[in-house]
Amino acid sequence: MIDSSYTKPFLTKFRISLFGCLLFFLWSFDGYSQVRPNLGGSSRMMNNAMTEMQKGDFEKANSFFRQIVENNLPIPPEMPYFFAETLYELGQFDNSSVFLEKYLEINGHQGDNYEAAIALQSKLKAPMEAIAACRFCNSNGYRYEDCPTCDGKRQLEQACSFCKGRGMVGCNKCMGRGLTTKRNIFNIVEYHECDKCGGDGRLGCPRCDGYLKEFSDCRTCQGQGRLLSDEICNHKPEPRSMSQKFERLKQVAGH
């Protein structure tokens, strides 16, 4: 269930932020085995996160975990497991898998939550396989939506990109001057009306033939017909009727 209080711009920012968290997390753990820093602040933050997990409020738990990473605090060795569990509960299966793999890589059999991590790894197989097989979402499990500009049609009638919607282009023989030059046998420059444009200096656009428009790939979606949304995919086709769409929106909003 996705909390309707989270707006699209926030989700987009969250996705970018979480990606940064992953990069920092990987970097932080590479040096963790060499230097064990004072965990004071991050331990308190993790305890807060675990308290929220026990309450079943994984959104709040997620915010505490992200604060640890975003504020460059030391990473407690068991945190990756709990973060992975939180992300799993939020349907962030791909991100959950990344944190879980790093936890197992760093802690191995010595981790306090090794058995739970193996169990979570097993639980992740089905949703990860569903993501890989789904044609409605990307590899991270975020759903594609029809491009609002072309409505998924990929191509649009748009202003001609060659003549910029003017219908005319400059003559490439006389360079738009309407005249060409030629030296005669006495080395005197003679001026002649351009035989390609008839002295006009312009030609009808060869792409749109003066129609001013062209059918070309939608510039919003680059001809893909779809854009990546901030919605976690349910791997089901989009409802076709407006009533179905309304019901789906109500479900997403948690009503």
Side-chain angles (χ1 to χ4, degrees):
M1 186 84 57
I2 299 175
D3 192 340
S4 61
S5 64
Y6 285 84
T7 62
K8 247 188 176 182
F10 175 83
L11 283 170
T12 301
K13 183 177 179 182
F14 165 73
R15 286 172 52 202
I16 296 172
S17 175
L18 184 55
F19 179 72
C21 288
L22 291 172
L23 293 178
F24 174 78
F25 168 77
L26 298 178
W27 173 83
S28 298
F29 250 104
D30 286 340
Y32 183 83
S33 59
Q34 300 175 18
V35 179
R36 286 186 173 267
N38 182 357
L39 298 177
S42 53
S43 291
R44 286 192 297 273
M45 200 81 70
M46 191 174 91
N47 288 336
N48 290 337
M50 293 175 65
T51 298
E52 297 302 331
M53 289 177 68
Q54 291 172 358
K55 295 178 182 177
D57 194 337
F58 294 99
E59 288 287 1
K60 283 188 178 179
N62 180 37
S63 69
F64 281 118
F65 286 130
R66 288 194 296 112
Q67 286 179 55
I68 293 175
V69 181
E70 291 172 356
N71 293 322
N72 296 342
L73 297 175
I75 306 294
E78 295 300 313
M79 176 192 142
Y81 165 72
F82 293 109
F83 200 179
E85 184 179 332
T86 295
L87 292 169
Y88 175 86
E89 294 295 335
L90 292 175
Q92 303 265 349
F93 301 121
D94 182 68
N95 290 329
S96 174
S97 179
V98 171
F99 277 92
L100 187 61
E101 287 176 9
K102 198 62 182 177
Y103 173 78
L104 292 170
E105 177 186 331
I106 297 299
N107 294 287
H109 292 78
Q110 305 302 316
D112 294 343
N113 291 281
Y114 172 75
E115 292 183 2
I118 294 300
L120 179 57
Q121 192 175 53
S122 179
K123 287 168 62 178
L124 277 166
K125 286 182 180 179
M128 290 300 291
E129 288 174 358
I131 289 173
C134 181
R135 60 188 178 91
F136 305 115
C137 63
N138 73 345
S139 60
N140 300 115
Y142 288 96
R143 191 177 186 90
Y144 288 112
E145 60 183 6
D146 284 347
C147 173
T149 303
C150 68
D151 197 27
K153 296 176 182 177
R154 302 188 179 188
Q155 287 199 327
L156 283 175
E157 184 181 72
Q158 304 174 101
C160 178
S161 59
F162 193 75
C163 66
K164 310 303 181 186
R166 298 184 183 94
M168 304 291 290
V169 294
C171 176
N172 59 0
K173 183 172 183 178
C174 65
M175 305 306 292
R177 294 190 295 268
L179 296 172
T180 58
T181 59
K182 181 180 180 181
R183 289 186 180 274
N184 61 24
I185 58 174
F186 303 107
N187 202 32
I188 298 174
V189 177
E190 296 179 347
Y191 292 86
H192 303 273
E193 182 181 273
C194 177
D195 60 357
K196 186 171 185 178
C197 64
D200 193 36
R202 298 184 301 170
L203 296 168
C205 176
R207 180 171 297 176
C208 70
D209 197 25
Y211 180 63
L212 310 184
K213 303 286 185 178
E214 66 172 342
F215 281 95
S216 59
D217 287 346
C218 173
R219 294 164 195 167
T220 301
C221 63
Q222 303 300 312
Q224 297 300 309
R226 61 186 186 177
L227 298 171
L228 192 62
S229 74
D230 297 305
E231 178 188 343
I232 295 174
C233 187
N234 62 4
H235 314 306
K236 296 179 181 179
E238 191 74 18
R240 294 187 178 276
S241 70
M242 291 304 296
S243 60
Q244 287 178 309
K245 289 183 178 181
F246 181 71
E247 287 300 321
R248 183 172 172 277
L249 287 172
K250 286 174 60 178
Q251 292 175 6
V252 170
H255 297 302

